[in-house]
């Protein structure tokens, strides 16, 4: 177990340099998981020396961490796991990284992901998949698979990721760590490669809810460079007793793996034992959320990826014969198949003949989903359910069938579309030894309550 406090005492007993060196060595010893795409050795060691000499201080002085490779960071390229940005050197750093560095934390590397964060297994990485921390024949989950695995392997005590439709929660659940997708607007997205701007969020992986809470308190807050950020509201809080918790019935159907349901029911029992009330609730509209998501998100993706034209930055095709050829080949060579699929779906649903039938309808349905959640939150403090229908699937199992891959997102996309916070908490393992997580979902800005609830069970 590597938590932040433990790392801090190691730094005190030895040095920041030796702790950072040990993390880099461990990362390289575990390269067969393919969790990291690059290392930031020289910058990391330089900062570690400054911690040791007292030039860098802070609440995370010397503590190593990793960021998903769609965060702009110094010391290594920012690839978004794509050929498009393969050699892109960031001219600036993401606000979330700047905030961690201001507290003395040290980024040691960039984690693998599905290219441009499109996917749920890290198999869409242009550089090859990440392997699950518990079973190398299985997927790490995604899209933040690398960040989840470096945390699960205890290479670093925490890692940053992005969650647009489940990309923090699902890999957290597949690798037995805590994953936080905050309220939309909690953490600045400045300096993070955009996927779908109306649901993109930044959050963290950690080995405990207590550590995740601490990291969230540092990275959250208003940022003038991201106009969607909310005024600072994230403040760790004491556990509120006797909460009303709704177990989402539609997430517990026969189609969900029995072991996943069993772990979720056990977690509900543990909450009851703490004096909370857990009751079954119904959210019938969730059956439509996957359809909404896979219209709205590709629409936004097609717009956000339009900037990669081979001219301003990113991959440029060699020897173009015309401007059209330059655009076409640069984009063809720079994007993976899943990126192209989303650009095509997005362009289709936004085209004038189909806009009303698809995009407009999906946005209307999204409003109904938000209302349905709000209605439940009039009577319940928190909603509970699984994170995914099954534990980690096998590498290659879903790659030939995009719909099958999308179906795995069925329980994570609702909170994303509603902009509400949701966390994934380890809830045990399957008979085969695969981790299973449960999801706690709350109303807007109740992030700290979700974490204190998870923390209160962790302390037992
Ligand atoms: N698996 C989802 C998708 O492919 C989530 C991706 C994400 O959150 N970045 O869209």
């Amino acid at each position: 177990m590597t938590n932040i406090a433990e790392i801090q005492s190691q730094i005190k007993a030895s040095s920041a340099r030796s702790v950072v060196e040990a993390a880099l060595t461990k990362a390289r010893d575990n390269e067969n998981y393919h969790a990291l795409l690059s290392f930031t050795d020289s910058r990391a060691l330089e900062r570690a020396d400054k911690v040791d000499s007292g030039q860098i201080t802070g609440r995370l002085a010397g503590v190593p961490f990793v960021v998903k490779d769609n965060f702009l960071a110094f010391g290594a390229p920012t690839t978004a796991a794509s050929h498009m940005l393969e050699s892109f050197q960031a001219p600036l750093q993401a606000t979330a990284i700047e905030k961690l560095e201001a507290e003395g934390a040290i980024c040691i590397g960039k984690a693998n992901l599905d290219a441009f964060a499109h996917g749920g297994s890290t198999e869409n990485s242009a550089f090859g998949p990440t392997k699950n921390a518990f079973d190398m024949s299985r997927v790490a989950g995604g899209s933040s698979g690398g960040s989840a695995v470096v945390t699960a392997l205890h290479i670093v005590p925490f890692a940053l990721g992005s969650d647009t439709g489940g990309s923090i929660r699902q890999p957290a659940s597949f690798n037995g760590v805590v994953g936080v997708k905050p309220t939309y607007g909690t953490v600045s997205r400045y300096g993070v490669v955009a996927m779908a701007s109306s649901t993109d969020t930044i959050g963290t992986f950690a080995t405990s809810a207590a550590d995740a809470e601490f990291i969230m308190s540092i990275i959250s807050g208003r940022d003038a460079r991201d106009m969607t950020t909310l005024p600072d509201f994230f403040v760790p809080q004491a556990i509120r007793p006797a909460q009303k918790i709704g177990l989402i019935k539609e997430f517990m159907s026969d189609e969900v793996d029995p072991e996943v349901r069993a772990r979720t029911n056990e977690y509900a029992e543990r909450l009851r034992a703490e004096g909370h009330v857990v009751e079954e609730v119904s959210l019938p509209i969730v059956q439509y959320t996957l359809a909404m998501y896979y219209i709205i998100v590709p629409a936004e993706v097609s717009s956000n990826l339009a900037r990669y034209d081979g001219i301003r930055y990113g991959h440029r095709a060699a020897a173009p014969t015309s401007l059209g050829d330059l655009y076409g080949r640069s984009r063809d060579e720079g994007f993976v198949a899943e990126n192209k699929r989303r650009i095509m779906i997005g362009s289709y649903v936004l085209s004038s003949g189909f806009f009303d039938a698809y995009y407009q309808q999906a946005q209307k349905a999204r409003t109904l989903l938000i209302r349905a959640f709000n209605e439940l939150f009039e009577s319940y403090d928190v909603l509970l359910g699984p994170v995914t229908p099954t534990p980690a699937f096998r590498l290659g199992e879903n790659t030939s069938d995009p719909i099958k891959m999308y179906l795995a997102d069925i329980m994570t996309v609702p909170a994303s579309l509603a902009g509400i916070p949701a966390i994934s908490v380890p809830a045990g393992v399957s008979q085969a030894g695969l981790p299973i997580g449960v999801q706690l979902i709350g109303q807007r800005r109740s992030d700290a309550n979700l974490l204190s609830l998870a923390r209160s069970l962790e302390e037992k």
Side-chain angles (χ1 to χ4, degrees), residues 68 114 116-121 124 142-144 162-170 195 200 293-294 297 338 342 405-406 409 412-413 416:
K68 187 176 181 177
D114 290 292
F116 287 98
H118 303 172
S121 68
N124 293 331
S143 62
S144 317
S162 61
D163 188 315
T164 300
S167 278
I168 291 176
R169 288 162 285 160
Q170 186 251 33
M195 178 180 167
D200 283 348
Y293 179 88
Y294 277 101
V297 165
E338 183 62 25
R342 293 188 191 212
M405 192 71 96
Y406 297 169
D409 301 333
T412 49
V413 298
S416 297

Side-chain angles (χ1 to χ4, degrees), residues 19 31 44 101 116 136 186 189 192 213-215 231 237 245 257 284 318 359 362 383 404-405 414 445 448 453 460:
V19 165
E31 260 178 334
E101 287 200 345
F116 287 98
M136 292 189 78
T186 304
R189 300 170 303 176
V192 180
E213 180 182 63
F214 181 49
I215 298 305
Q237 61 189 47
I245 297 164
D257 184 282
Y359 185 73
L383 301 176
K404 225 173 136 201
M405 192 71 96
R445 304 182 200 226
L453 197 58
K460 295 288 152 194

Side-chain angles (χ1 to χ4, degrees), residues 173-192:
S173 151
F174 282 2
N175 292 283
V177 294
V178 173
V180 181
K181 180 214 105 66
T183 299
Y184 180 76
T186 304
V187 180
S188 171
R189 300 170 303 176
Y190 182 72
V192 180

